[in-house]
Amino acid sequence: MSAAPRPARPAWAGPLGLHHPGDTVLHRASPGAKLLGLALVGVLAVAVPGVPAAIATCALAGALAALGRLPLRATARSVAPIVLTAALVGAYQWWARGWQVGVEVGLDLVTVVLAATVLTSTTRADVMLDVLVRVARPLRHVGIAPETFALAVALMLRTIPALVETFAEARDAARARGLDRDPRALLVPAAVRTVARARATGDALAARGIGE
């Protein structure tokens, strides 16, 4: 009797593609207010210097995640690559400018991404796009349709996890051939699949007359 196949690895949704339905205060809040809150957190992270301020802002983002009752495991998995990136950037800043700057930069990056995760986890994508269309209405004066702007944002949100998925598929294929230590076996197929996906997306948009 053959062994049961291992369950497929769940697709990485990313911090910007993780919606978790719920009925918390943050779920019921208006998307516009949450966008303003995200902007405020970003301003605080950048404008208020110092390690204590960075710790406080990061704690605020963590409290918002707890208030929105974000699932711990899924949230940790989605932000893990960002935390790793923040650790690398912080380590470089530590080496170049001192430990205070390194810690502050790393915490600020995690804070902004965690706050954005709270926003997308408590707001449906279609509701968020409606808000973006309203916010982008002034762009009509410079010849940019708000709907096109919202579509570009939606494509960006969908593209990030799709790219991660493409690289994971290329890595698994290279590993199956025993070439997991060969960068070309990963990068070339991933680049080809990424270009093919972009062309397919462009053809689909052109076929519907979108973005012309």
Side-chain angles (χ1 to χ4, degrees), residues 20-173:
H20 179 68
D23 191 32
T24 67
V25 173
L26 291 180
H27 284 85
R28 295 193 298 271
S30 70
K34 285 186 281 189
L35 277 174
L36 288 176
L38 175 61
L40 178 61
V41 171
V43 169
L44 288 176
V46 174
V48 183
V51 173
I55 294 175
T57 310
C58 191
L60 173 62
L64 292 175
L67 183 62
R69 297 180 182 175
L70 270 61
L72 181 60
R73 179 175 297 181
T75 303
R77 181 172 179 271
S78 66
V79 301
I82 307 301
V83 173
L84 177 60
T85 302
L88 294 175
V89 173
Y92 173 76
Q93 293 294 333
W94 188 324
W95 173 76
R97 304 170 61 187
W99 71 269
Q100 294 93 342
V101 176
V103 172
E104 181 181 348
V105 169
L107 286 177
D108 286 347
L109 285 175
V110 173
T111 296
V112 173
V113 173
L114 185 56
T117 302
V118 173
L119 171 65
T120 56
S121 297
T122 58
T123 310
R124 295 202 320 267
D126 57 333
V127 176
M128 182 65 66
L129 293 179
D130 289 341
V131 173
L132 290 176
V133 169
R134 292 197 296 270
V135 171
R137 282 175 182 168
L139 294 178
R140 289 187 185 278
H141 300 295
V142 293
I144 300 176
E147 294 79 7
T148 302
F149 173 80
L151 176 62
V153 174
L155 289 175
M156 181 197 70
L157 295 179
R158 179 65 188 95
T159 298
I160 294 173
L163 287 176
V164 175
E165 182 181 352
T166 298
F167 271 86
E169 292 174 351
R171 183 191 59 195
D172 292 342

Side-chain angles (χ1 to χ4, degrees), residues 195-212:
V195 172
R197 187 189 295 270
R199 290 180 62 90
T201 302
D203 292 342
L205 293 176
R208 291 165 175 78
I210 300 174
E212 294 182 348

Side-chain angles (χ1 to χ4, degrees), residues 168-188:
E169 292 174 351
R171 183 191 59 195
D172 292 342
R175 184 174 298 167
R177 302 197 308 272
L179 299 174
D180 50 317
R181 294 181 180 276
D182 187 350
R184 293 174 300 179
L186 169 63
L187 297 178
V188 174

